[in-house]
Amino acid sequence: MPEAPEKFNAAMTTWQEWQDAPWGRLRYAIAEANLARHLDDLGDGPLRILDLAGGDGGDAMRLAARGHHVTVVDHAPAMLAAATERASTAGLTELITCVRADVTALPADLAAGAFDVVLCHNLLQYVDDVPGILATALAPLKPGGLFSMMAINRHSAALSIAVRETDPAAALAALGTDRSRTQTFDSAVTLHTAERSSRSCKASAARTYGTTASAASATTSPTTRENTTRRSTRTLSNWNSPRPRCRPTCTQLGSSS
């Protein structure tokens, strides 16, 4: 079950300390560098970016500093208050909009927002219905847009325990499970592999854009939302289009927050 917003509110101080620590700084540096490799391909001018479960704006601040317009969606009031304060301090209030909402039930204006980029960087580990969340996340993406997904890396969990905790027995046990707990929020989480995340993204893109599962490489699709919603059984041959609908970029994190 998704965690209640109160749990994230209560851990604000710990969360901010983690962001300032080496693991936290590395996580945001990796995300920024990975996105920078793709954003230039989306054209000139500021982009409209939707940051789902964006928390206190760690990713949003970096993107707004590059001149992009970022909408941060989160269900924890304390996180959004911190994001608003950070934007004000950085002089980025005109570029950052904070919206309190459940990601599983986005407001209509966001769900149909035709964003250039959608971020899903701190969400998958907390939800049970990953395909459903991904379908919701993909829906606001405009033709040719970029979907960026990050997840805690299941393959690194055992290595982290072995190296950082020097506990071989616990590391061996970690190899056989996809469940863990975050230290910051003391929350149960599901760990993902790059292969599993990629398959889930492709399958969700197929359902969201009316493609067949076998065609869901998430690199091409029909060029209009009307076509994809009305024609839900397109074949591979009909699916080819010169304009990409969704180009996923997936980053696996090596430690849980």
Side-chain angles (χ1 to χ4, degrees):
M1 293 294 292
E3 296 288 352
E6 291 75 19
K7 173 161 284 191
F8 296 97
N9 290 339
M12 273 299 306
T13 300
T14 306
W15 171 243
Q16 290 170 340
E17 290 174 350
W18 180 85
Q19 290 182 82
D20 292 334
W23 279 112
R25 296 200 304 273
L26 180 62
R27 171 254 186 265
Y28 285 101
I30 288 174
E32 183 178 21
N34 192 37
L35 282 170
R37 295 189 296 115
H38 300 279
L39 295 183
D40 289 344
D41 295 336
L42 298 180
D44 298 329
L47 301 173
R48 295 183 66 244
I49 300 174
L50 180 62
D51 187 3
L52 298 175
D56 62 344
D59 289 313
M61 298 301 150
R62 293 169 181 255
L63 292 166
R66 293 172 175 263
H68 303 302
H69 298 271
V70 187
T71 298
V72 179
V73 176
D74 205 281
H75 70 163
M79 288 287 183
L80 293 176
T84 299
E85 182 178 352
R86 292 177 71 175
S88 178
T89 300
L92 297 172
T93 54
E94 293 185 359
L95 294 175
I96 292 180
T97 301
C98 294
V99 178
R100 185 183 180 189
D102 187 335
V103 172
T104 62
L106 291 175
D109 60 328
L110 296 184
F115 288 89
D116 299 294
V117 181
V118 174
L119 309 183
C120 190
H121 284 182
N122 197 35
L123 177 61
L124 295 188
Q125 60 265 34
Y126 295 109
V127 301
D128 298 323
D129 182 14
V130 171
I133 285 291
L134 289 176
T136 299
L138 288 167
L141 195 64
K142 69 186 296 185
L146 177 72
F147 178 65
S148 177
M149 173 175 59
M150 295 180 71
I152 298 174
N153 189 350
R154 177 179 177 180
H155 289 155
S156 75
L159 179 61
S160 177
I161 293 172
V163 174
R164 299 173 68 184
E165 301 177 20
T166 62
D167 189 340
L172 182 62
L175 289 174
T177 181
D178 64 353
R179 302 292 292 175
S180 184
R181 292 196 72 84
T182 63
Q183 297 178 358
T184 303
F185 299 114
D186 188 29
S187 301
V189 293
T190 300
L191 308 179
H192 298 272
T193 65
E195 294 79 11
R196 176 180 175 181
S197 299
S198 180
R199 286 196 301 269
S200 295
C201 183
K202 292 173 183 177
S204 295
R207 287 192 295 271
T208 301
Y209 303 130
T211 63
T212 59
S214 62
S217 65
T219 55
T220 60
S221 72
T223 58
T224 65
R225 178 168 298 169
E226 290 75 20
N227 284 341
T228 59
T229 55
R230 286 201 297 264
R231 301 180 183 180
S232 59
T233 57
R234 285 182 176 271
T235 63
L236 178 59
S237 60
N238 288 335
W239 192 55
N240 294 326
S241 167
R243 296 182 63 191
R245 174 73 190 204
C246 169
R247 293 176 292 161
T249 171
C250 178
T251 301
Q252 291 284 304
L253 301 183
S255 67
S256 62
S257 54

